[in-house]
Structure formats: C-alpha cells, structure tokens
Amino acid sequence: MSMQQVVLPIIGMTCANCVSTLERASKKGSGVAEATFNLANERGMVAFDPEETTLKEIVERIEKYGYQVPTGELSLPIPKKWLPADIGAKLTQLMGVLGIITAESNGGEVAVRYIPTVIKPKDLLHQLAAAGFQVPEDSLIEEDVEGIARKKEVAHQRRLLILGIILSTPLFILSMGRDFQLLPMSLMHAGWMDWLFLILATPVQFIVGWDYYVGAFKSVRGGGASMDVLVALGSSAAYFYSIFVMAGVFPGHVYFEVSALIITLIKVGKFLEARAKGNTSAAVRELLSLQAETAHVIRLGEEIEIAFEDVLEGDIIVVRPGEKIPVDGVLVEGKSTIDESMVTGESMPVSKAPGDKVIGATINQTGMFKFRATNVGESTLLSQIIKLVEAAQATRAPIQRVADQISAVFVPVVLVIATITFVVWYFFVPLPPASDVTAITRALINTVAVLVIACPCAMGLATPTAIIVGTGLGAKHGILFKNGEILERAGGVHSVIFDKTGTLTEGKPAVTDIYAIEQGQESEVLRICASLEQGSEHPIGTAILAEVKQREMELLPLTDFQALEGRGIEGTLPVGKGLVASPRYLKEIGYLTADVHADIIAGWQNQGKTVVGVALDGRLMGLVAVADTLKKEAKQAVSLLHQRRISTALLTGDNRRTAEAIAAQLGIDEVYAEVMPGDKAETVRKAQEGNQVVAMVGDGINDAPALAQASVGIALGTGTDVAIETADIVLIKGDVTGVVNAIHLSKKVFKTIKQNLFWAFFYNVVLIPVAALGWLHPMFAAAAMAISSIFVVSNSLRLRRYHLLG
C-alpha cells in the first residue's frame, strides 16, 4: 500500500523545541516516513505507511508528550437487528477510513472520533451510511472543530492571564514600594507582608504557570528541552528561594514578585503572540469563505437547491446574476461576464460563452446561464488551491532547518551558561562593601535573568510566520508555491527560460499565408494539410483546421496517422500518402530544393511566422504560414526580469528564424530553437551548469521534463494537468508577469525571514551576556523575551500589506 499523508492540527506548541519534540514523538515506532510541524500555524504534515502504523497510534504518540490534536465526536445508534459479529465487522470497516481515529460500541451506540482536517463531516456521513448506519442528515452539525478547540485554548489562556495580572499587580506595587521605601513605616517591616506576597504569588506560580511545569516535564521526558523548561526553572528558582528565606535557611528578603511577574509577563507575550499568529493563516480562511454554500441543480427536469458538496459530476447547474458558481464546469447555455478575481487575482470581469470553463467560487455578474459540472468536491480548483497552500504552509524552508538545529541545542547550552553564571557570581565575585543582598541572592537573580531572557520563541517563529503570510499572499494573487523550499529557491533565480507557444504567445495561432507550387491550388494545399492535421493536437494543426472550418471546406478521411516527433505528421488520404512537416525535415528528405521556396520560407520566418510544408506522394504541394499573437504582458515581464538582473531565454521546437524574430520583439537574451521535445530537459540542464539557478516556464505536456529538471519549474494554470503537476509553482491566471511576482515575493519573504532571524539571534547573543553580567533584572528579561516574539510575528504580518504587480 502506498504512503498516506495527513495534515494534523496541534494545540500546545510554544517554541521551536516543540517542533523537534513533535517530530521525534511522531516517528517513535515504525511506519512514519516523514513528519514536519509548523510552529506558526500549529499544524503538522505526517506521511505514514498504514500497513505499519495507524493514525490513532500517531495521535497517541503526539498526545503522550502533552500536545492536543483537536478531534470531532459523533454518536449513532446501532441497528437492533445487528449481531455482535456484524458490529465488529462494521467497526473494523470504519477504522479503515482515513481520518477516523476510533470507532467503539457502547450500550447500543457507536462512538466515532475523527480528525476534521483529514476527513470532512459530509464525507464522514457518507462513510457511516456506507457502513450501514442510519444517519439523519441533521445528525452532524457543520462545526469548525479545530477552530472551537483553538478558541477554547485562547479563552483558557486569557483567564489565566487575567488571574496573573490581578495577583501580580498588587504584588509588584507592594514589593517595589517596600524595596524603594515608599510604603508607610508600619508596613515596611511588617512580618505578615512576606506571607501576603506568598499568598499572591502561589496561585500565579502553580495555576497560571502550571502549563509550563507540565510542558517542561513532558519535554524532558521526550528527550528535549523546551522554552517551558527555562520558564519553569527561572520562576521556580525565585519562588522556592523566597520560601527558603521565609524558613530562615537563607538570609535576605523574598523575591516572590520576580517569580510571579516572569510568568505573567511571558503569559502576556504568548497571548498576544497567539492572537497575532492567528492572523498569519488568514489567507486560507479567506479562501475557504469564498466557497458557495448551495447550488441550483436540474434533476429529473426540475430545478432544485442542494448543498454544493452534493453536486455530482455531470450535473447541469443554473447560475443567476450575483450568485456564486458552486463548482468547476463548462458553460452549456447562455452568456455572462464573471468576476474571477477571488481565485485568479484578475481584476477585470471575464466574458463567458458556451464551451468556456467556469471556476467554482467565482461570481456571476450579468446574465443567467447553465453549466455542466466537471470538477466537484475535492477536485475543484479552489479545493486544490487550498490544499496546495496548506501543504506549502506545513513544510519548512531550508533556512528554517538551520534555526531548528540551533534551537535544538540552544536550551541545553543556556542551562550550562546559567550554571556557570551562578557559580561565578556565588563563588568568585566578591560582594561590594555594605551590600544589601547576599551572595546567593545576587547569583540566583542573575541566573534567573539568563534563563528567562534565553527563551527561543522568536527563533522558532522567525521562518514559519513569514512563509505562511508569503504563501497566503501569493495564493491571493494567483501564485501557488508547492512548498517552503521552492519559496526560498525562487528568490535566487539567475535566469528564466520561457517556452514559446501558449506561454509567451496566446497559443491560438491563425493561418496567415498559403503558397502553392501549382498556381491556383492554394485551397487544395490547405485542404490536404487540414485533412492530415485531423489527427494532431498541436496548436498549428488547430489553427489550420479552424481556417478550413471558416472557409466551409470538406475534409478528406484520414487513415494510418502517425506523429513524427519534432518533425511533423503523416497519414493516408484517398488521394495519396500525405506529409505535413517542418521545412528543416523537408530539406533533410530532399523535398525542399528550389531557392524560391527557401526565400519564401525565410521571409515568413523573419516575420515571426511558423511555416509547414505540405507534400503528397513524395512531392511538395506547397507551404502554409501560421502566426501566433504575443501575450500583451510578455514584453513587460521580460523587461521587469532584466531590471532585476535576471537573464532570459526562449526555448522552442520552432525554427531559429521565427524564434529569433519573436525573441527580438520581446527583448529576450538567448534563443534555443529547433529543440526536440525530448531534448528540452537537457537544454535546461546545460543552462544550470556553474551552479546557475534556472527557472523554466511552460504550459504543455512536452514541457513537463524541462519543468522537472529546472531549479524552479513554473507552470501556467491555463496549461495541461501534466505540466501543472510537475511544476513547483503554478500561476493560476496564465499571466507571465506572475513569474516576476513569484521571484520578487520570494525575495521579499526571505528578506523578512533574515530580519526575523537577525533580531532573534542578535537579541539572544547580546542579552544573554548582559544578563550573565548582572545588568538585566529578571522582570525586564521576561518583558524583553515577550516583546521579541511579538516583534517577529508582527514583522511577518507586514507582508500582508505588500503589493504585487497586476
């Protein structure tokens, strides 16, 4: 059985060490091939072999280490006629459905627990019905299980934060008032003040801060050391030291306000960070909100309204002005203009007529029309876009691995530094004369400051937050990055190679010239050429057939059709054996010898036209010229790439004269002409020599090998499925300025990531020594730690305001 891949929501992630802990936890045992977790959107992508492990076991491994996977639950009555053996078989059947974690019978009911990011509620209903359960349509409430769980978690953290503020504020005021002798003398030396501080600090330490103890325990048990370890150690050191002071073990005064404020300030930072992190994945939520809720479908001759999930492939759907199109399809009746901006980013409405494709979630503006559903459910363009965006946001860029590797050893290193700090300050640095603190107090305070300032939250958030915002912004503008690695690599592109037909040109060529060897036989040359092209799917053949159709000419029946790769086509007609081929091939086989023919061909090719020759029974009949119009944005895209010092090249199977004429019109630097489809990938490979990062842009089946070979393969969304599947980046609009946007967005995202990482590392590199030298109070350390994380997230969110071309 092949690997299964799932996206799991995770609650409880706090820092980069949580990422490594979750990855270790997921891979404990056999069966998990890959596990990648993202701190910014708190999701993980896990690929596993269902023959070796189950989704239930993976979830249990994750929950064992203190993290929560939000799940939905559903209970249904078991039909009374079922025997115990029937129930066991049905439960086994349900457990085989990807997304269902448990299916257990209890007192005449079956309880099903499922993961909503893996199996949708509607799909769950269908699986239950298929297993034989009576499932009322209203038995499953459409609810955002993950969203509800996250809201509960935020509400829980808010309650803890409020409790911490209520208790820490008077504790801080009274403690500072006593330290700076601002309180009345009756309170300055009151013995009960320490007991009041203890009463205020204890709930903060063990209720507000309990999550840090649990997290620290499970982190250490998992073989790592997370932010929770540092917070728990730092706050506990101040709290229990104060207890010992009250018990008379140590001289000096208590530091309950330090322990309480460390926890409260960090809780403030994590709460604000959680709210800000929620905004990073706004793009996916916006995409989800675009989907229509219902569809007007014609069934049994009547128009009925159904949920969009229930639309079947082949259904005829009616759409009126102002309504959203529920699924993808082909228009069969009526005309209209459609606003496709929410999916493609194209601001201008698009005119549609019978035969044109329509996209689900776009808005019908003017006329009423009917269309046939071709892609429904998970196969619609919107669903595919959401899947690609979620997959990209769940992956890590190479630059993030560096940060993760540093974070993995960071906490143990900090613990060593903290230990050294304590030892040096306690044993080797003498107290100044008339000091009001003891050696152990001073050593402890400085050690606590080191522990608190070093929390690696900012390092863990630096990369994923920027990637999530960047991929979301790209999706909003019709640019889909398939993973974080490609988002990073695209910014380093040195050169871009463009396919010609359908990429730089409209892909809709038209016949412009016909030359016949025998005067007056132009129509016959065109008829023979078109009759042979009946078996071809090449754009040139389509143009020739369109010309024949317009002239209302009758085609001859074709047999023995054969495509000559990169050369032409041949077949048998009632009038003889025919051949349509490139001038180069005709010359090779001796069909093109006259200088006059060479002059005609050269003249047409110099005008940027593609020329084919038509032969019958070994004799040249004539020549046909076809021209394709350039896309209006192609010249701008090439110019913008040159402004960014990125070289350009044209790759085509067309003849050199035509290719060079088009390259000259667009200002393209280099031309690879007369390249056979099988040689395109090798051409790209040669361009990559010398560590050149080469992007290939194409849209056809024959471009797929070159797209796969390129450092960055970019496919136009208007192209073939094979090209789109092979490419690393998909431009939904089919607009080549998207190439510039993709490269520029990548540069912008990674500039932001570098800013984030610089701040995170600089902050730790500078402030840890400051704390170790005794120049940073623990309370300020806690505040600075919280501010650093908020800064990193906020800096990433600035990308949402960035404007792309078009």
Side-chain angles (χ1 to χ4, degrees):
M1 187 180 289
S2 60
M3 286 282 174
Q4 291 181 336
Q5 185 172 289
V6 294
V7 174
L8 301 177
I10 307 292
I11 289 178
M13 297 177 71
T14 58
C15 69
N17 296 87
C18 294
V19 173
S20 54
T21 299
L22 280 163
E23 289 175 359
R24 284 195 304 271
S26 302
K27 292 178 180 178
K28 284 205 169 180
S30 61
V32 175
E34 184 180 358
T36 305
F37 291 83
N38 190 307
L39 174 61
N41 64 356
E42 294 184 288
R43 286 196 170 193
M45 185 187 298
V46 180
F48 66 99
D49 185 345
E51 291 185 353
E52 293 189 38
T53 190
T54 65
L55 189 56
K56 178 185 177 183
E57 290 173 347
I58 295 170
V59 171
E60 287 174 346
R61 294 174 199 171
I62 291 171
E63 292 181 338
K64 179 182 177 183
Y65 286 91
Y67 303 96
Q68 180 188 348
V69 179
T71 58
E73 294 183 2
L74 178 67
S75 295
L76 289 173
I78 297 172
K80 293 181 180 179
K81 61 182 179 180
W82 282 5
L83 299 173
D86 296 327
I87 298 171
K90 299 298 184 185
L91 294 181
T92 301
Q93 179 182 340
L94 288 177
M95 286 299 294
V97 175
L98 184 64
I100 294 179
I101 303 176
T102 58
E104 300 171 342
S105 62
N106 182 18
E109 285 190 338
V110 63
V112 179
R113 185 180 171 213
Y114 65 96
I115 301 176
T117 55
V118 181
I119 184 169
K120 288 188 174 180
K122 280 281 183 182
D123 295 331
L124 178 62
L125 285 180
H126 293 153
Q127 293 291 344
L128 290 168
F133 291 93
Q134 298 297 317
V135 185
E137 279 295 323
D138 60 350
S139 64
L140 188 61
I141 300 172
E142 289 279 358
E143 62 179 11
D144 181 2
V145 174
E146 181 186 358
I148 291 171
R150 294 200 187 282
K151 284 180 181 177
K152 285 182 179 177
E153 177 65 14
V154 170
H156 171 65
Q157 294 299 330
R158 184 187 291 110
R159 286 193 297 270
L160 292 178
L161 173 59
I162 291 171
L163 177 62
I165 292 173
I166 290 172
L167 296 175
S168 298
T169 302
L171 176 57
F172 174 74
I173 293 171
L174 290 172
S175 178
M176 290 299 101
R178 186 169 71 173
D179 289 346
F180 291 101
Q181 299 184 356
L182 300 175
L183 295 178
M185 290 303 296
S186 59
L187 295 178
M188 290 293 296
H189 304 290
W192 54 266
M193 285 286 284
D194 286 349
W195 288 99
L196 175 62
F197 292 169
L198 173 64
I199 292 168
L200 290 172
T202 301
V204 177
Q205 190 70 35
F206 298 109
I207 297 178
V208 180
W210 183 247
D211 290 344
Y212 297 121
Y213 284 106
V214 173
F217 171 74
K218 291 183 176 178
S219 173
V220 173
R221 187 177 67 176
S226 67
M227 179 204 87
D228 295 332
V229 172
L230 299 180
V231 176
L233 279 176
S235 62
S236 296
Y239 178 85
F240 287 107
Y241 169 79
S242 301
I243 294 286
F244 286 130
V245 168
M246 289 182 66
V249 176
F250 299 129
H253 65 275
V254 297
Y255 284 92
F256 287 118
E257 79 283 0
V258 171
S259 67
L261 279 168
I262 286 173
I263 290 173
T264 302
L265 286 170
I266 292 174
K267 188 67 74 175
V268 169
K270 299 308 289 182
F271 178 72
L272 294 175
E273 175 194 309
R275 290 181 61 181
K277 278 163 54 178
N279 291 327
T280 60
S281 55
V284 172
R285 292 198 301 273
E286 287 175 14
L287 288 171
L288 288 167
S289 69
L290 295 177
Q291 182 62 65
E293 295 182 359
T294 60
H296 296 97
V297 179
I298 296 176
R299 289 184 180 168
L300 301 177
E302 291 186 8
E303 182 182 321
I304 59 172
E305 185 175 0
I306 62 173
F308 86 93
E309 300 101 326
D310 296 329
V311 174
L312 303 175
E313 188 175 329
D315 274 343
I316 300 297
I317 301 168
V318 180
V319 183
R320 294 176 174 81
E323 292 181 345
K324 282 185 178 179
I325 298 170
V327 296
D328 300 351
V330 177
L331 197 145
V332 295
E333 183 182 319
K335 294 181 179 180
S336 185
T337 57
I338 295 174
D339 176 4
E340 297 184 342
S341 60
M342 64 283 294
V343 175
T344 67
E346 178 60 60
S347 58
M348 294 298 292
V350 183
S351 298
K352 300 288 182 178
D356 290 337
K357 292 181 179 179
V358 293
I359 303 171
T362 57
I363 299 174
N364 180 28
Q365 288 197 325
T366 53
M368 184 177 84
F369 63 87
K370 296 178 182 177
F371 76 95
R372 178 180 293 107
T374 56
N375 298 91
V376 300
E378 295 296 309
S379 64
T380 64
L381 177 62
L382 182 64
S383 294
Q384 294 302 312
I385 290 172
I386 291 169
K387 278 186 177 180
L388 279 174
V389 174
E390 288 184 329
Q393 293 183 345
T395 59
R396 285 184 296 174
I399 195 172
Q400 186 178 343
R401 296 192 185 104
V402 176
D404 288 347
Q405 287 167 359
I406 293 172
S407 297
V409 299
F410 187 78
V411 174
V413 168
V414 168
L415 293 175
V416 172
I417 293 172
T419 303
I420 293 171
T421 300
F422 183 88
V423 170
V424 169
W425 279 101
Y426 185 68
F427 291 104
F428 299 103
V429 180
L431 282 171
S435 174
D436 60 347
V437 295
T438 63
I440 191 169
T441 300
R442 183 184 60 177
L444 185 72
I445 290 300
N446 293 338
T447 302
V448 169
V450 170
L451 290 170
V452 174
I453 198 65
C455 293
C457 308
M459 281 190 284
L461 291 167
T463 299
T465 52
I467 286 179
I468 287 174
V469 177
T471 51
L473 180 63
K476 191 174 180 179
H477 287 81
I479 305 167
L480 301 182
F481 296 89
K482 291 191 176 178
N483 55 58
E485 183 175 352
I486 291 303
L487 181 58
E488 177 174 350
R489 198 185 307 156
V493 166
H494 299 119
S495 63
V496 177
I497 299 176
F498 291 97
D499 169 54
K500 178 176 76 72
T501 305
T503 302
L504 294 173
T505 66
E506 294 290 353
K508 298 176 182 177
V511 174
T512 58
D513 304 272
I514 303 171
Y515 169 78
I517 302 294
E518 296 183 11
Q519 195 171 2
Q521 291 295 307
E522 287 84 3
S523 293
E524 188 62 16
V525 169
L526 180 63
R527 190 166 78 106
I528 296 296
C529 183
S531 297
L532 291 166
E533 291 285 5
Q534 290 177 91
S536 171
E537 294 181 353
H538 195 279
I540 291 175
T542 304
I544 293 167
L545 287 166
E547 182 69 18
V548 166
K549 185 178 180 181
Q550 185 178 338
R551 297 188 184 197
E552 298 181 351
M553 298 171 65
E554 188 174 340
L555 297 175
L556 300 172
L558 173 68
T559 57
D560 302 326
F561 173 83
Q562 184 178 357
L564 309 173
E565 185 181 14
R567 298 178 178 85
I569 57 171
E570 63 182 12
T572 302
L573 302 172
V575 293
K577 189 171 181 62
L579 171 70
V580 176
S582 67
R584 182 179 52 151
Y585 181 59
L586 290 172
K587 192 172 184 179
E588 283 178 14
I589 61 178
Y591 284 23
L592 261 182
T593 55
D595 291 340
V596 63
H597 302 151
D599 291 342
I600 292 170
I601 292 167
W604 286 349
Q605 289 178 343
N606 287 338
Q607 296 171 35
K609 298 174 181 178
T610 299
V611 184
V612 294
V614 185
L616 191 66
D617 289 333
R619 181 177 60 87
L620 184 69
M621 289 186 67
L623 305 167
V624 178
V626 174
D628 193 358
T629 55
L630 291 172
K631 289 184 176 179
K632 61 182 184 294
E633 71 276 1
K635 190 169 185 178
Q636 181 194 16
V638 172
S639 175
L640 289 168
L641 287 170
H642 287 161
Q643 288 175 25
R644 288 159 175 78
R645 299 181 181 179
I646 297 172
S647 63
T648 56
L650 179 65
L651 177 62
T652 178
D654 218 334
N655 67 84
R656 179 159 291 278
R657 276 201 185 94
T658 301
E660 287 179 345
I662 289 172
Q665 292 179 53
L666 297 174
I668 288 177
D669 303 316
E670 194 169 356
V671 174
Y672 303 105
E674 301 176 1
V675 179
M676 304 290 285
D679 297 332
K680 285 188 173 183
E682 178 61 19
T683 304
V684 173
R685 189 195 65 75
K686 287 181 179 177
Q688 291 172 307
E689 291 177 355
N691 294 321
Q692 290 292 296
V693 180
V694 177
M696 170 70 195
V697 188
D699 73 329
I701 293 173
N702 62 353
D703 296 322
L707 290 171
Q709 172 63 42
S711 313
V712 179
I714 304 175
L716 304 187
T718 51
T720 62
D721 291 343
V722 175
I724 292 170
E725 184 67 28
T726 308
D728 304 305
I729 300 172
V730 179
L731 308 178
I732 297 173
K733 287 198 293 183
D735 183 339
V736 287
T737 54
V739 176
V740 185
N741 276 334
I743 293 171
H744 201 51
L745 178 59
S746 171
K747 288 180 180 291
K748 192 71 178 176
V749 168
F750 276 85
K751 181 181 178 182
T752 302
I753 288 174
K754 287 170 185 176
Q755 290 170 348
N756 289 348
L757 288 173
F758 171 80
W759 171 260
F761 286 119
F762 177 80
Y763 152 87
N764 279 292
V765 168
V766 170
L767 293 186
I768 288 176
V770 169
L773 290 169
W775 298 340
L776 188 65
H777 193 278
M779 288 186 290
F780 294 117
M785 191 277 285
I787 290 169
S788 70
S789 296
I790 296 168
F791 170 84
V792 163
V793 177
S794 301
N795 192 42
S796 296
L797 287 173
R798 288 190 311 117
L799 284 168
R800 295 171 64 188
R801 299 196 299 271
Y802 182 63
H803 296 289
L804 298 178
L805 298 169

